[in-house]
Amino acid sequence: MTEHDITLSVNGTEHELTVEPRTLLVTALREDLGYTGANVGCETARCGACTVRVNGEAIKSCMRFAVQSDGAEIETVEGLAENGDLAPLQEQFQENHGLQCGFCTPGMLMTADTYLKDADDPSREEIREAIEGNLCRCTGYHNIVDAIEATLEQREASHE
Amino acid sequence: MSESDQPADKRGFGDPIERDEDVPLLTGEATYTDDIQLRGTAHLAIRRSDHAHARLLEVDTSAAEAMDDVVAVYTGADVEDSGVPNTIPTAWMLPGLVTPQYRMLAVDKVRHEGDGIAAVVAETPQAAQDALEAIDVEYEALEHVTDPVESVDRDVPPVHEEAEDNVAFDFELGDADAVDEAFADADRVASVDLRQPRLIPNAMEPRSALADWDVATEKLRLWMTSQNPHLHRMLLSAGTLGVPENKIQVIAPEVGGGFGSKIYHYPDEAVTAWCSMQLGRPVKWKASRMEGYVTDCHGRDHTTSAEIAVDDDGTVRGIRVETHAGLGAQLSQFATATPSYLYATILSGEYAIPAIHCRVIGAFTNTTPVDAYRGAGRSEGIYVIERLMDVAARELEMDPAELRRTNLVPPDEFPYETAAAVVYDSGEYERAMDTALEHVGYDDLRERQAELREEGRYLGIGVANFVESAGLSPSGLAGDLGAQAGGWESSIVRFDSTGTVTVLVGTADQGQGHRTTFAQIAAEELGVDVDAIDVVEGDTDQIPQGLGTYGSRSASVGGGAIARGAREVREKAREIAAHQLEASVDDIEFDDGEFHVAGAPDRSYHIQEIAAEAYLGHDLPEEMDPGLEATNFYDPENFTFPFGTHVAVVEIQPETGEIDLERYVAVDDCGEIINPMIVEGQVHGGIAQGIGAALYEGAAYDDDGHLLTRRMDEYAVPHSTYVPDFETDHTVTPSPHNPIGVKGVGESATIAAAPTVVSAVVDALEPFDVDHLDMPITPETVWQAMGGEE
Amino acid sequence: MYANDFEYYRAESVDEAVDLLGDHEGAELLAGSHGLLPRMRTGEEAPPALVDMNAVDGLSSIEHIDGDLSVGALVTHAELAESELVREHAPALADAAGEVGDIQVRNGGTIGGNLAHGDARTDHPAAVLALGGSLDVTGPDGDRSIDAADLFTGHFETAVGEQEVVTALRVPLEDDASSTYHKHRNPLSGYPLIGVGAWAQTDGETIERVRVAATGNLAHPKRLAAVEDALEGESLEADTITAAAEQATSLGDDEFRPDVQASPTYCRHLLSVYTERALRDVLGVDGE
């Protein structure tokens, strides 16, 4: 099948690559470009382990072909920490023990990080709804909700 | 407390220290098996059976072989003809057990949907997958069976010729005569028939393997998603491949959850390795989720009739249990142990029950193999006794919590030998139960329940007590009962010459936080900072021996091995310190990492300074060898027995049968707590899996023997909105025989949560004369139980 | 699993997309890819060619056109759910869009793709049927409109032709009308086990016009004519609604699709319950 030359901007770095049409965005990120943070845990858009940000929105990167994302601005978990310092959300995941095996974590962080950009004093139930597209089999979600809540509280406190 | 039992200062032991392992997991830098890329890697895909049961008439691979980018295609016959042992062994023998050969790829017939038939190796994973369809398989369909009762009761073609009646084993435990007598004497008998459905573990990371056979050295390196790399090394050597054990390196890098499913030696990693050996190049295999659903070992699948004999005052006189356990189409390693010894021996629960008898018929079925899934055996057993307590309470018109309390093993009875052939190490059952009931406000809830019922609202309060057998041991006893492996764990605790510490241990983490908790144990024993300690797991070339992580064993058995190793190191350091201080060893005290002569704390050596001396070797006691490290093999004298009480509060929506899980309270006693934050995390995750089993999960097969729940949108792994916030608390009853007093916590909450939630829903439905509902209790189940269409 | 191999074409215009569909037999359109792609990865569909619509301009707006609310085919579920225009004029559509999957799926999936793909399990069809919507489609023979009532012909079957491109969803704007969508989520899939859309016009006392439609575990999304008949012209009372909702139980077992955890009997019951809830909501009649 005809291969296609595409450009992906990942965490601010432009990459040019050649892909088969059927190459998923997550496959291009993981196997062609080495961004192995996003993981693949299912084929039915349920698990969310592959969540990245495309043009500012959290999406499941196993639910689109790489060629569809030609020219897109992509942000992955690898871009959250700056100069080796964990972002506040990552710190709160650590402090609140919001991860165990870590496989769902990159996707969970990208969903939560995107949600937090616009979130305004959400209830725990609203936080749970926000991360509904990310399955975690280890934590039972309680500490993940704690971590997201704590990040918000920390942000509020720093604005006061 | 003596010094060797409890070093002076807390150096992290007991503190909620943040996890050392988190940063790479949070930044995406962590390396899981599928993240590893080796130059020249070929990719494996496995053609799997579409049939539940069929004779393989022909497997024609020629078209697949001719496809672009296909490197090779192999069938079961190719593997068999290569002369490798080709046998995945069972790890637990039972009397009369039938053990058909479990091969890497099917040769004569396929026995379940998903059974491997042929292997395609290609230059890309896509090309390998594409070629699967080009393999022409001619089947002769056979009648199949997926239900464990039907399997042995119905006249069907056997799954294996060796077991014509499909019975793999017929197991008994307990005293049948004593039980008959108890039932004859008791005032009343209550009974329940129940199904514990087949569960699919769903670790978030699908299984995968990357094999690299080095032609020159004839050494196999295998990265894989393993809970126990040493066990895999042994089974690959002795069972499937015949490669000498010292020529196999198994590496478990980051592993994305296991819950039992990554304990086992599956055909797939052996096929991956075998293909690498045939081709002399790296070969990688990764399961899709759908592939995992038909190949990862499932859990549970019990059909049970259980009876309980009670007196009018609530005294339980005996229980009688008969279970058909589905084993699937092949005997996975612990498939036999799980529904026999891990199940029947826990049926006494937290209660003093004088007479217990259990019979288990292990049945082959045309399904994915069944093996231990989080809680394995103990989950099923506790579920049975807790359901029995509820039906007995209903029979006696007694409060179910009160009936439970009446029968608890009292604290002064420990060690307590049950009628189910185990000795509970320690327990303060009533204390944990009181803590839970007080926390939830049990009496108030009962009042509120009564009030709401007047308004036509249905509140349910479920209480379950559990006890778990953790850290299967000692090896000798396990061997007597049929185990083909030991129950020990091994560690190396090594001071490096500059004073840092390296701990190597044979357990293997899949998210439990071993690196942090084990460092806390070593820090406690050695008086050094946790930051100075590095814990290494998951590589058979670095860690000499080990048995891995399963059965809630890592903290108690692995942690025990680390504590004992650290103590040995500390004692050698003490001798060196005595030599340096020109004093007798008996006069040397160890305090917060410092050795000094008793009564003279001003002159001291820190253990890290002693380490430097040990490696310099310039001035050591006579006849002492240099170095400061210890290898320890810890074989516990008994299981440990964590326990606790969980309470759930539900409200039923009568119109739709929906269940609102309003509160969930867990009080766990896992002995000494190494890191409360991590323990709580284990409890949270365990509860979610137990709630999943109770309300959402459950595999099902259609009439053709195909898995109906074969994808992640057909099997309900709980999402964030399916579970409530959890309220947790702890009591601490140390295990008297464990070196650090811990009992383990990995499976506790899963064991407790399913019976707790079921109890709550059934309690809510008391006005409808419902005394039991099978899991998963869906809204439809509830709606039907409330009268449904009527 | 990987998707099957296919040829990829990027259309720059609707007409080019129509041409590409004509040139490549079996070709399918690719928009948000959330309907098609998972089915390719599970092996349920294997189109030899895909025509990507994402570069086509003019399909992403929500606006008033000729007395209709016009929603471009590439509008995502998230955009629909957040649109004030949609919330004001077609609340059922906003409700349904907000109920789709999860945040990521709502960001990825599009309304045009959803309706053209005809996945009977999804939320939108009930809302669109209840709102009396229609699809603007362009094909080799030009433009036409497909009424929602004629659209859904089966599970993954719609009246959209093989070479036709959906360009917009139109919802007629009518005064004094309100609409809503209520969903019972299937815990296995997140799709509706039963979803009911309702639209009504009243004069405050009498139910003048009403449309009720269901989606979820049905053979295909459909209007509930018996329910509508029991309401139209009737007075606005709780008993009327209850009796009308009861009409939803007239669906036979074969009109439901099998589900591992929900029988037709239960789905039928839910249909009646959710019909009543949707009607009470849209008609402003309190429960009990």
Side-chain angles (χ1 to χ4, degrees):
Chain A
M1 293 287 159
T2 315
E3 296 191 326
H4 297 262
D5 295 327
I6 62 169
T7 305
L8 299 177
S9 159
V10 186
N11 303 328
T13 304
E14 293 258 313
H15 297 274
E16 289 179 1
L17 61 162
T18 304
V19 293
E20 279 191 301
R22 65 167 152 178
T23 303
L24 301 170
L25 176 57
V26 69
T27 314
L29 290 171
R30 288 178 51 80
E31 288 171 22
D32 295 334
L33 302 179
Y35 294 95
T36 55
N39 289 314
V40 180
C42 78
E43 42 283 297
T44 49
R46 288 300 274 169
C47 85
C50 64
T51 301
V52 301
R53 227 174 356 243
V54 175
N55 299 329
E57 288 178 343
I59 59 106
K60 297 183 178 178
S61 63
C62 79
M63 282 294 127
R64 68 177 58 190
F65 296 108
V67 64
Q68 284 177 280
S69 306
D70 186 13
E73 303 270 339
I74 294 156
E75 295 163 85
T76 70
V77 71
E78 285 91 345
L80 286 184
E82 282 183 43
N83 305 323
D85 293 333
L86 294 183
L89 179 67
Q90 291 169 309
E91 280 179 357
Q92 290 298 345
F93 265 68
Q94 182 172 30
E95 258 179 50
N96 289 280
H97 191 28
L99 68 158
Q100 290 181 27
C101 83
F103 196 79
C104 77
T105 308
M108 191 71 82
L109 286 169
M110 294 312 291
T111 300
D113 189 63
T114 313
Y115 173 70
L116 285 174
K117 289 185 191 306
D118 300 318
D120 180 26
D121 195 25
S123 66
R124 288 179 72 84
E125 205 44 51
E126 284 168 331
I127 293 172
R128 284 183 182 274
E129 282 167 18
I131 58 169
E132 196 172 26
N134 294 79
L135 280 174
C136 170
R137 191 62 155 166
C138 294
T139 64
Y141 304 103
H142 183 114
N143 289 348
I144 293 175
V145 178
D146 281 356
I148 295 170
E149 222 178 15
T151 309
L152 274 162
E153 282 165 14
Q154 196 182 23
R155 191 170 74 186
E156 298 296 311
S158 70
H159 286 171
E160 274 165 13
Chain B
M1 195 173 277
S2 73
E3 190 185 86
S4 63
D5 290 328
Q6 191 69 46
D9 196 26
K10 291 280 180 199
R11 286 210 171 245
F13 193 109
D15 294 337
I17 295 178
E18 285 176 16
R19 300 201 317 170
D20 195 28
E21 38 274 88
D22 283 352
V23 172
L25 298 171
L26 287 163
T27 55
E29 299 301 320
T31 302
Y32 298 88
T33 299
D34 187 48
D35 295 342
I36 300 166
Q37 299 197 12
L38 296 182
R39 189 189 301 274
T41 296
H43 297 268
L44 167 69
I46 295 174
R47 171 65 187 260
R48 300 190 180 279
S49 172
D50 314 315
H51 285 257
H53 200 187
R55 227 172 283 290
L56 283 177
L57 301 182
E58 200 187 345
V59 182
D60 181 355
T61 60
S62 52
E65 279 162 15
M67 288 174 72
D68 285 349
D69 285 339
V70 170
V71 177
V73 184
Y74 303 108
T75 64
D78 293 329
V79 176
E80 190 85 345
D81 293 346
S82 73
V84 297
N86 196 17
T87 300
I88 297 175
T90 180
W92 199 291
M93 299 303 291
L94 293 172
L97 180 69
V98 179
T99 56
Q101 187 180 354
Y102 180 6
R103 292 180 175 84
M104 289 154 57
L105 291 171
V107 290
D108 50 349
K109 64 178 195 174
V110 287
R111 294 178 169 83
H112 71 94
E113 182 190 30
D115 221 352
I117 295 170
V120 174
V121 183
E123 296 296 343
T124 67
Q126 291 89 341
Q129 180 187 298
D130 289 347
L132 293 181
E133 285 171 39
I135 298 170
D136 190 12
V137 182
E138 202 182 326
Y139 300 97
E140 178 195 329
L142 297 168
E143 204 182 341
H144 67 272
V145 63
T146 57
D147 178 83
V149 179
E150 270 188 50
S151 163
V152 297
D153 285 358
R154 197 154 63 87
D155 187 24
V156 286
V159 180
H160 293 279
E161 311 308 325
E162 295 88 334
E164 275 184 24
D165 52 2
N166 278 332
V167 174
F169 63 82
D170 191 341
F171 170 88
E172 275 190 81
L173 186 120
D175 185 339
D177 293 340
V179 168
D180 288 346
E181 220 168 283
F183 272 73
D185 283 356
D187 294 335
R188 293 161 191 248
V189 171
S191 67
V192 63
D193 292 333
L194 53 88
R195 272 283 298 158
Q196 300 198 56
R198 174 182 288 267
L199 300 178
I200 301 177
N202 274 294
M204 290 309 300
E205 179 201 23
R207 284 188 297 119
S208 65
L210 170 62
D212 186 14
W213 172 254
D214 188 293
V215 177
T217 59
E218 298 194 318
K219 176 161 177 170
L220 174 68
R221 274 202 299 172
L222 181 64
W223 289 263
M224 62 177 289
T225 49
S226 171
Q227 296 182 218
N228 37 12
H230 293 88
L231 190 67
H232 277 118
R233 179 179 67 171
M234 177 177 80
L235 297 174
L236 284 159
S237 174
T240 44
L241 299 179
V243 176
E245 194 175 359
N246 58 7
K247 290 287 190 184
I248 300 176
Q249 179 185 11
V250 175
I251 305 163
E254 291 299 340
V255 178
F259 316 113
S261 69
K262 291 171 183 169
I263 296 172
Y264 318 113
H265 181 10
Y266 293 93
D268 314 304
E269 60 261 18
V271 172
T272 309
W274 184 86
C275 287
S276 178
M277 291 166 70
Q278 301 304 302
L279 298 169
R281 60 188 282 196
V283 174
K284 187 187 245 185
W285 171 79
K286 183 193 183 188
S288 68
R289 180 62 59 184
M290 289 172 71
E291 197 175 11
Y293 270 28
V294 293
T295 62
D296 294 1
C297 279
H298 296 172
R300 321 293 193 244
D301 198 23
H302 280 204
T303 303
T304 296
S305 293
E307 295 171 283
I308 184 165
V310 283
D311 285 341
D312 287 334
D313 66 357
T315 307
V316 175
R317 302 288 301 277
I319 61 170
R320 187 188 281 139
V321 178
E322 182 168 320
T323 292
H324 285 71
L327 305 174
Q330 301 285 0
L331 291 182
S332 178
Q333 276 86 56
F334 295 103
T336 49
T338 299
S340 60
Y341 283 107
L342 291 179
Y343 169 65
T345 55
I346 208 71
L347 283 167
S348 199
E350 284 194 348
Y351 313 110
I353 302 175
I356 294 175
H357 183 259
C358 177
R359 179 184 178 203
V360 182
I361 294 149
F364 287 116
T365 53
N366 295 110
T367 65
T368 299
V370 179
D371 206 324
Y373 160 60
R374 197 174 193 175
R378 285 80 31 94
S379 265
E380 296 90 311
I382 292 299
Y383 186 74
V384 169
I385 181 62
E386 290 302 302
R387 294 309 309 136
L388 282 173
M389 293 307 272
D390 272 358
V391 296
R394 212 44 92 71
E395 171 70 25
L396 294 165
E397 295 181 8
M398 216 172 149
D399 179 89
E402 198 46 44
L403 177 65
R404 284 174 167 85
R405 184 192 302 278
T406 305
N407 288 283
L408 293 176
V409 176
D412 56 4
E413 293 280 319
F414 291 89
Y416 175 79
E417 182 169 0
T418 72
V422 287
V423 179
Y424 293 169
D425 55 348
S426 61
E428 290 259 10
Y429 295 161
E430 193 163 15
R431 180 172 60 165
M433 195 175 170
D434 284 342
T435 306
L437 295 182
E438 271 166 37
H439 184 115
V440 81
Y442 186 76
D443 295 338
D444 291 347
L445 278 170
R446 284 287 173 209
E447 278 176 34
R448 186 171 148 228
Q449 178 182 46
E451 287 162 18
L452 289 175
R453 277 185 189 167
E454 300 282 315
E455 301 170 19
R457 289 175 61 185
Y458 302 101
L459 192 77
I461 306 144
V463 178
N465 292 326
F466 77 95
V467 61
E468 177 198 349
S469 51
L472 200 169
S473 55
S475 300
L477 173 67
D480 290 345
L481 301 180
Q484 305 296 294
W488 48 266
E489 194 44 78
S490 108
S491 73
I492 290 177
V493 176
R494 174 187 298 149
F495 264 101
D496 310 309
S497 56
T498 56
T500 55
V501 180
T502 302
V503 173
L504 304 108
V505 61
T507 50
D509 183 280
Q510 319 106 53
Q512 295 91 338
H514 291 175
R515 264 170 278 178
T516 304
T517 44
F518 288 168
Q520 289 177 264
I521 294 170
E524 174 83 2
E525 300 294 340
L526 298 172
V528 300
D529 236 48
V530 284
D531 294 340
I533 298 168
D534 191 34
V535 176
V536 181
E537 283 189 328
D539 181 344
T540 59
D541 268 15
Q542 289 196 67
I543 299 131
Q545 286 297 345
L547 290 173
T549 288
Y550 53 86
S552 306
R553 70 190 302 275
S554 295
S556 63
V557 192
I562 291 166
R564 286 160 44 107
R567 286 169 194 174
E568 197 179 314
V569 163
R570 192 177 69 211
E571 292 319 304
K572 182 173 179 183
R574 190 193 304 272
E575 286 181 43
I576 299 169
H579 177 72
Q580 301 280 330
L581 292 163
E582 295 168 335
S584 154
V585 171
D586 296 341
D587 293 337
I588 302 296
E589 290 189 343
F590 181 67
D591 185 14
D592 201 17
E594 301 280 348
F595 291 105
H596 60 81
V597 178
D602 290 350
R603 189 167 167 235
S604 70
Y605 286 97
H606 195 271
I607 192 166
Q608 287 169 308
E609 296 174 84
I610 299 292
E613 285 297 334
Y615 287 99
L616 280 172
H618 296 169
D619 186 18
L620 296 177
E622 246 176 80
E623 294 184 16
M624 179 184 276
D625 295 329
L628 190 56
E629 72 169 56
T631 300
N632 188 272
F633 278 73
Y634 170 50
D635 196 1
E637 66 185 61
N638 188 6
F639 287 91
T640 52
F641 292 88
F643 61 89
T645 300
H646 288 203
V647 187
V649 182
V650 302
E651 186 173 351
I652 304 296
Q653 300 301 320
E655 200 173 29
T656 56
E658 285 166 286
I659 299 156
D660 295 338
L661 183 46
E662 291 186 352
R663 289 182 67 193
Y664 195 97
V665 173
V667 174
D668 280 80
D669 193 320
C670 58
E672 295 287 356
I673 294 173
I674 304 163
N675 183 324
M677 178 189 81
I678 285 175
V679 164
E680 189 172 82
Q682 289 296 306
V683 171
H684 286 175
I687 296 170
Q689 286 183 20
I691 292 172
L695 302 181
Y696 298 105
E697 302 181 36
Y701 285 89
D702 70 11
D703 291 343
D704 296 323
H706 294 136
L707 189 62
L708 279 167
T709 49
R710 55 180 299 123
R711 325 182 334 185
M712 220 168 218
D713 58 356
E714 295 169 341
Y715 183 95
V717 174
H719 287 248
S720 50
T721 49
Y722 297 8
V723 292
D725 281 343
F726 307 127
E727 302 165 54
T728 57
D729 203 348
H730 293 276
T731 58
V732 176
T733 309
S735 171
H737 66 79
N738 183 271
I740 47 176
V742 307
K743 291 191 168 208
V745 74
E747 299 167 285
S748 290
T750 303
I751 294 169
T756 304
V757 173
V758 170
S759 178
V761 176
V762 172
D763 184 63
L765 297 176
E766 188 188 2
F768 299 89
D769 284 332
V770 173
D771 56 16
H772 175 73
L773 293 172
D774 275 338
M775 302 182 284
I777 306 183
T778 64
E780 175 164 5
T781 313
V782 172
W783 177 71
Q784 296 283 14
M786 295 174 84
E789 267 188 307
E790 288 161 25
Chain C
M1 281 176 68
Y2 297 91
N4 63 287
D5 212 355
F6 60 88
E7 287 292 356
Y8 171 86
Y9 303 98
R10 187 176 296 156
E12 305 286 342
S13 68
V14 172
D15 289 341
E16 189 188 355
V18 173
D19 290 345
L20 284 164
L21 287 176
D23 292 346
H24 303 283
E25 202 186 328
E28 299 272 355
L29 292 177
L30 188 64
S33 67
H34 277 59
L36 188 60
L37 200 158
R39 286 173 61 79
M40 290 170 72
R41 290 185 64 203
T42 55
E44 291 164 289
E45 293 196 38
L50 293 181
V51 177
D52 189 349
M53 295 296 294
N54 285 290
V56 178
D57 287 334
L59 301 182
S60 302
S61 59
I62 301 172
E63 55 197 334
H64 289 290
I65 297 179
D66 306 334
D68 289 341
L69 180 71
S70 170
V71 179
L74 290 179
V75 170
T76 64
H77 308 309
E79 288 164 347
L80 268 179
E82 288 156 17
S83 159
E84 293 192 7
L85 267 183
V86 177
R87 173 57 58 195
E88 186 185 342
H89 296 293
L93 190 58
D95 289 347
E99 285 287 346
V100 170
D102 48 60
I103 285 181
Q104 298 99 304
V105 170
R106 292 196 288 277
N107 285 336
T110 62
I111 181 71
N114 175 283
L115 295 172
H117 201 223
D119 185 343
R121 300 168 296 181
T122 59
D123 296 282
H124 290 301
V128 171
L129 282 166
L131 289 164
S134 61
L135 293 189
D136 289 348
V137 301
T138 301
D141 304 325
D143 299 342
R144 68 175 182 129
S145 170
I146 303 173
D147 196 287
D150 305 322
L151 178 63
F152 304 104
T153 52
H155 193 27
F156 297 108
E157 288 169 23
T158 67
V160 179
E162 280 179 15
Q163 287 184 49
E164 287 183 320
V165 175
V166 175
T167 55
L169 163 69
R170 280 176 181 257
V171 176
L173 299 177
E174 298 187 63
D175 292 335
D176 301 321
S178 58
S179 65
T180 189
Y181 172 75
H182 285 246
K183 172 183 188 176
H184 183 97
R185 183 171 284 240
N186 185 335
L188 304 176
S189 63
Y191 291 119
L193 188 57
I194 288 295
V196 176
W199 173 94
Q201 245 179 353
T202 74
D203 61 4
E205 289 175 7
T206 309
I207 304 163
E208 294 177 325
R209 293 167 65 204
V210 66
R211 284 188 294 266
V212 184
T215 187
N217 223 42
L218 301 171
H220 59 84
K222 62 182 66 173
R223 292 263 295 273
L224 302 177
V227 176
E228 294 174 359
D229 290 347
L231 291 166
E232 223 152 60
E234 300 291 323
S235 61
L236 257 178
E237 284 168 18
D239 289 351
T240 314
I241 292 171
T242 306
E246 192 61 28
Q247 296 299 316
T249 61
S250 61
L251 263 58
D253 283 4
D254 58 351
E255 295 187 75
F256 295 91
R257 281 180 297 106
D259 182 274
V260 179
Q261 293 188 351
S263 70
T265 303
Y266 182 63
C267 291
R268 191 158 41 229
H269 170 69
L270 283 182
L271 183 58
S272 160
V273 169
Y274 279 78
T275 298
E276 182 163 352
R277 289 183 186 178
L279 288 171
R280 284 180 185 282
D281 184 4
V282 78
L283 296 169
V285 174
D286 286 342
E288 310 313 317

